[in-house]
Amino acid sequence: MSSIYQHFRPEEKEFIDQVLEWKREAAEMYAPKLTDFLDPREQEIVQSIVGEQGDTTAFFFGGTDRSERKRAYICPGYFTPSEKDFDTVLYEVNYPDKFVSVTHPQVLGSLMGLGLKRGKFGDILTDGKRVQFLAAAEVGRYIELNFNQIGKTKITLSEKDGQEAIVPEEDWKELAATVSSLRLDAILSAFAKQSRHKVQAAIKGGLVKVNWKQQENPAFECKEGDMLSMRGAGRAKLIAVEGKTKKEKWRIILGMVK
C-alpha cells in the first residue's frame, strides 16, 4: 500500500486515502461512487489509483467536453455510466449586462457565499458577456432558491441544455526560460516577469495556487506537469524541465495562458 504514496506529494495523502476507499467500495460492494467536482490534479490521482486494476473503472464528466472541473464516477469494471449518471446541471446567469459586468471571481465568490463547498460547482463559463456555471444536481434546488445576487447586482438563473454551454477560448503559448532553481518563487518570477521579492509577497499573501490548491511556501519545489496560477498574472503549466546550463541554471518550458 505504501508504494502508492511514493508516486504523489505528501500533502495529497488524505485525498489518496479517500480514493482508495471509493475504489474498495466499488470493488467489494459493487457500489458506484459519484464524487463532487474534482480539479484536474484530483482527476489524475483518481485515474492513476482506480485504473491500476481491472475490477474498477473511473469515468469523468463535467457537463461539457472541454470542462476542467469534472465529477468522477467510480464503478465496477463491467459498468459504463451515461451522462445522466453524473447528475450535473448547467445554469445561465441572467443580469443587466448593458449596465454592469460580472466576472469569474465575482460569480465564484457569490456561489461560495451560499455556504456550499467548492466541490459542488464545476466550471464557470463566460465569453466576456454571458455567464454560465455547472453545479451538482443535488444542490440545484438550493441554488435556485438562494442564488439571486452577485455583489449588488440582482440576477436570475435559467437552466440550459449541455449543448448550449459556452466554449471558453484560451490562448496558450510556450515560453522558454532559465531559472536559478525549480522553486515556486523562481518559476513564477520568470512567468509573471516580476521580481522574486514581489512574487514571494504574492505567495505568502495567498494569491498563488499550485495544482488548484493555495500554496504559501515560496520554496515549494515544482515538478513537470504542475499547473501554477497567480492572481493578476494568469496561469502557467510547467511543461518540461530540460536540464541545466553550464552555469548550473535550469532550462524550462512553460505553457502560459492569460
Side-chain angles (χ1 to χ4, degrees):
M1 187 68 73
S2 61
S3 62
I4 291 176
Y5 298 108
Q6 69 185 20
H7 301 295
F8 305 98
R9 290 194 165 108
E11 62 268 22
E12 295 172 329
K13 182 181 184 301
E14 184 178 349
F15 182 70
I16 291 165
D17 288 341
Q18 192 170 45
V19 176
L20 288 168
E21 179 61 20
W22 293 337
K23 177 181 170 70
R24 185 191 67 78
E25 290 178 3
E28 296 178 8
M29 303 178 187
Y30 305 102
K33 169 64 181 180
L34 177 62
T35 73
D36 284 343
F37 286 93
L38 308 176
D39 64 45
R41 176 57 181 168
E42 290 169 332
Q43 294 167 38
E44 187 180 330
I45 291 172
V46 169
Q47 185 62 60
S48 176
I49 293 173
V50 176
E52 284 183 357
Q53 298 174 8
D55 54 350
T56 54
T57 311
F59 297 86
F60 302 90
F61 183 70
T64 72
D65 292 338
R66 293 181 59 179
S67 294
E68 188 170 86
R69 298 178 61 84
K70 299 177 182 178
R71 303 188 86 172
Y73 193 94
I74 301 168
C75 55
Y78 57 80
F79 185 78
T80 301
S82 68
E83 285 188 8
K84 288 184 178 179
D85 290 318
F86 288 90
D87 281 350
T88 64
V89 59
L90 175 66
Y91 289 110
E92 180 142 351
V93 179
N94 306 303
Y95 67 100
D97 53 35
K98 290 183 179 179
F99 306 102
V100 296
S101 60
V102 170
T103 66
H104 183 292
Q106 288 174 326
V107 177
L108 179 57
S110 297
L111 285 170
M112 297 297 289
L114 299 180
L116 297 170
K117 58 183 181 178
R118 182 65 181 95
K120 294 302 179 185
F121 307 110
D123 288 2
I124 296 171
L125 311 171
T126 180
D127 58 8
K129 193 170 185 179
R130 295 171 61 212
V131 176
Q132 299 174 342
F133 66 91
L134 279 296
E138 64 266 23
V139 296
R141 183 62 180 154
Y142 179 82
I143 293 170
E144 291 166 15
L145 288 172
N146 294 281
F147 189 41
N148 48 37
Q149 193 164 325
I150 297 175
K152 295 181 179 179
T153 304
K154 298 290 185 181
I155 63 140
T156 59
L157 296 177
S158 53
E159 189 174 333
K160 296 292 183 181
D161 185 86
Q163 304 301 316
E164 299 176 83
I166 296 167
V167 179
E169 293 184 6
E170 289 191 335
D171 184 21
W172 285 87
K173 63 178 181 178
E174 289 191 5
L175 168 73
T178 304
V179 292
S180 57
S181 75
L182 298 179
R183 283 173 46 128
L184 177 59
D185 57 356
I187 293 177
L188 275 182
S189 179
F191 153 56
K193 295 181 172 58
Q194 297 180 12
S195 69
R196 286 278 283 271
H197 178 74
K198 192 170 183 179
V199 165
Q200 287 172 356
I203 296 170
K204 293 175 181 177
L207 304 181
V208 169
K209 292 182 179 180
V210 177
N211 297 326
W212 297 271
K213 301 291 187 297
Q214 190 169 302
Q215 177 56 254
E216 297 182 5
N217 178 13
F220 179 87
E221 194 82 0
C222 296
K223 298 179 180 178
E224 284 186 354
D226 281 350
M227 183 70 77
L228 318 175
S229 67
M230 186 167 82
R231 194 176 303 170
R235 296 195 293 169
K237 183 176 183 179
L238 182 53
I239 295 175
V241 178
E242 297 190 322
K244 287 189 173 182
T245 67
K246 292 179 180 179
K247 294 183 178 180
E248 290 296 298
K249 291 193 172 185
W250 291 96
R251 292 192 304 270
I252 62 171
I253 301 293
L254 291 170
M256 302 193 308
V257 62
K258 292 196 174 182

